[in-house]
Amino acid sequence: MSAVLQDREAVDDLFGLGFLTTGHNAVLVGPNGVGKTMILKNVAHQAVVRGHTVRFSTASDMLADLAAQESSAALARRLRRYTVPALLCIGEVGYLSYDSRYADLLFEVLTRRYDAQKPLLLSTNKAFADWGQVFPHAACVVTLVDRLVHRAEVIEIEAESYRFKEAKELSATRSKQRRSKKH
């Protein structure tokens, strides 16, 4: 990974799973394509291998799942899916924008985990100052971010998109192949 060295060390620390006993969150912040979601999946895998309960979901899947519940009893049951596991990993916050109902649902999940001191790992491509764009018109955004980062390590990943890098390499290879065919 071509991330900044301090970020690499912070990411490596996640694999020790110490945050599971302290109840601290970790938030990976960085541009698209730098491996934030893959890191979440790999840490989740390590937690499962070591016997912890884990739920991984993208933000859009989790919020759509919760919003689809038709009664408050069904919603309460579904919320347990995201609040009971020892570790919750939420990927891709910030890629889509959501209405205030979705912000309220995310706030509910975060609050329940916060109160139970159960950690979550979250990845986002947006700075917290821009979360108002992700959840426009939501009154709870400031409180949501405040609660998320209160007991959290925010890990900024500064790297070039792996997908973009691979696309450039593929283009260069194909261009070279076309040039060699002409000669």
Side-chain angles (χ1 to χ4, degrees), residues 69-115:
Q69 304 311 302
E70 296 185 11
S71 70
S72 48
L75 177 59
R77 281 191 303 276
R78 193 53 59 109
L79 278 166
R80 282 192 289 278
R81 175 182 281 189
Y82 300 101
T83 57
V84 168
L87 175 60
L88 174 63
C89 298
I90 305 171
E92 303 178 359
V93 175
Y95 289 86
L96 302 173
S97 62
Y98 304 98
D99 65 25
S100 58
R101 166 114 170 101
Y102 283 56
D104 292 344
L105 291 168
L106 180 59
F107 179 78
E108 188 65 32
V109 170
L110 291 178
T111 297
R112 288 177 184 217
R113 293 193 67 83
Y114 179 86
D115 291 344

Side-chain angles (χ1 to χ4, degrees), residues 46-160:
Q46 279 300 314
V48 168
V49 166
R50 295 186 193 171
H52 300 281
T53 56
V54 176
R55 169 137 332 249
F56 176 90
S57 181
T58 63
S60 60
D61 286 346
M62 180 185 77
L63 295 174
D65 179 35
L66 292 170
Q69 304 311 302
E70 296 185 11
S71 70
S72 48
L75 177 59
R77 281 191 303 276
R78 193 53 59 109
L79 278 166
R80 282 192 289 278
R81 175 182 281 189
Y82 300 101
T83 57
V84 168
L87 175 60
L88 174 63
C89 298
I90 305 171
E92 303 178 359
V93 175
Y95 289 86
L96 302 173
S97 62
Y98 304 98
D99 65 25
S100 58
R101 166 114 170 101
Y102 283 56
D104 292 344
L105 291 168
L106 180 59
F107 179 78
E108 188 65 32
V109 170
L110 291 178
T111 297
R112 288 177 184 217
R113 293 193 67 83
Y114 179 86
D115 291 344
Q117 294 190 0
K118 289 186 173 181
L120 65 86
L121 298 182
L122 185 141
S123 67
T124 181
N125 65 334
K126 297 278 190 206
F128 295 121
D130 297 330
W131 276 36
Q133 298 167 9
V134 178
F135 301 104
H137 313 296
C140 68
V141 172
V142 171
T143 306
L144 186 153
V145 170
D146 184 61
R147 197 154 293 169
L148 173 64
V149 301
H150 175 235
R151 295 187 300 246
E153 180 170 10
V154 178
I155 302 169
E156 293 188 29
I157 299 178
E158 298 173 15
E160 182 179 85

